[in-house]
Amino acid sequence: MKTIISTKYIKKIAFIALASMPILAFAQEEEEAKSKFEFTGTVDAYFRTNLTAPNGEDAIAPGSSFANLDGFSLGMANVIASYDGDDVGFVADLVFGPRGTDAIFASPMYSATGDIVNQLYVYWNVSDNVTLTFGNFNTFLGYEVISPAANFNYSTSYLFSYGPFSHTGLKADFDLGNEWSAMLAVMNPTDLTELNGTGDYAVGAQLGYSGQFLNFLYSQGGFEVDYTGGFDVTEDFFLGINAAHFSQEDDGGSFTGVALYPQLATSDNFTIGLRGEYFMEGDFFGAIGAADADGDASVLALTLTGSATIGDLILKPELRLDSASEDAFIDTDADPTSSLASFLVAAIYSF
């Protein structure tokens, strides 16, 4: 028997479908907006002990940043909210804990409120090839960064520790095509985040090609040139490279350093890597500690790190040996010595 559907019923179905279209479109737009908003971050902690120097009240550490406390210690909680629109977006990056405090040491916001802004910026994709970024962003120089999840080694290098951490200003990134890129920036003096307070401004530039970057920074009479890059030697073996030279006008000190980062993946969940760094300072720059009569000192730092991945958790056992040209450390009897051996285990969770 043939079924007959009335015209009135067809019109009713059509009306419901048409009425639902704005609701469905709004729901789809809302879902797309949610997908562009991200909430990520990390939490880390570590245990550290000196092998050739005292621990406890007389504990010492290498002259580089972070992971310098003995015993069981906190790293930081890093919370990042971001929105990636078609043309515009933002990043709000907050850090809490000793590592965050050390990273944002020059921030008036921290001393005033106890809250630490690691990065806070907006950006505008002016075109497919040009992006403008305005606000506070981590430095473009160097191989290592503040976030422990983005570094292979948990402790940091001298090059990272005495290069800039963050900048506040305006930068323009350019995609030049054929794997070439460039960046120009005008900023507050290095590491001055919420305000300038000097009347001076820093300028920066970057030229990149296929993952290799040549960086330049001039800030308050100090000039730094930095090369950061790396190569996949094989499918399982990567070699990272960082080299930099900094000099300050009016005998304000200088440093020169190079670091190599060979890393070998032995399985899907474990990689072992070595950071070999040579760092030399001049004119009493103050990074290494004691200096000779000419004001020069150097240090060779070898850091062997394992990285084991368990889901979103990374465990990093690390053995580090710092050997300086001067007696920059002490031994277990508290006598001056030129070397320090230390060991740590870090746990980093990313979400």
Side-chain angles (χ1 to χ4, degrees), residues 27 76 85 96 137 179 221 261 318 341:
M76 69 180 187
F96 307 90
F137 41 86
E179 299 189 77
Y261 300 81
E318 183 169 291

Side-chain angles (χ1 to χ4, degrees), residues 123-208:
Y123 62 87
W124 172 28
N125 296 319
V126 180
S127 68
D128 291 339
N129 301 319
V130 180
T131 298
L132 297 178
T133 301
F134 187 83
N136 174 232
F137 41 86
N138 289 160
T139 187
F140 52 93
L141 289 85
Y143 184 88
E144 299 179 23
V145 297
I146 293 172
S147 170
N151 291 335
F152 184 82
N153 307 100
Y154 187 74
S155 68
T156 52
S157 66
Y158 287 88
L159 278 170
F160 168 79
S161 301
Y162 293 95
F165 284 172
S166 298
H167 309 281
T168 297
L170 173 65
K171 67 170 182 166
D173 289 280
F174 304 93
D175 183 351
L176 304 179
N178 296 318
E179 299 189 77
W180 285 93
S181 65
M183 186 277 295
L184 296 173
V186 57
M187 305 157 292
N188 284 346
T190 298
D191 294 322
L192 294 183
T193 53
E194 283 78 40
L195 52 82
N196 188 313
T198 67
D200 296 330
Y201 289 90
V203 292
Q206 180 187 82
L207 181 65

Side-chain angles (χ1 to χ4, degrees), residues 3 19 28 30 34 76 78 100 107 161 167 179 193-195 202 224 230 245 250 252 264 281 306:
T3 302
Q28 184 177 3
E30 186 177 22
K34 288 181 179 178
M76 69 180 187
N78 186 197
S107 168
S161 301
H167 309 281
E179 299 189 77
T193 53
E194 283 78 40
L195 52 82
E224 184 170 354
H245 173 74
D250 302 323
L264 176 65
E281 65 177 18

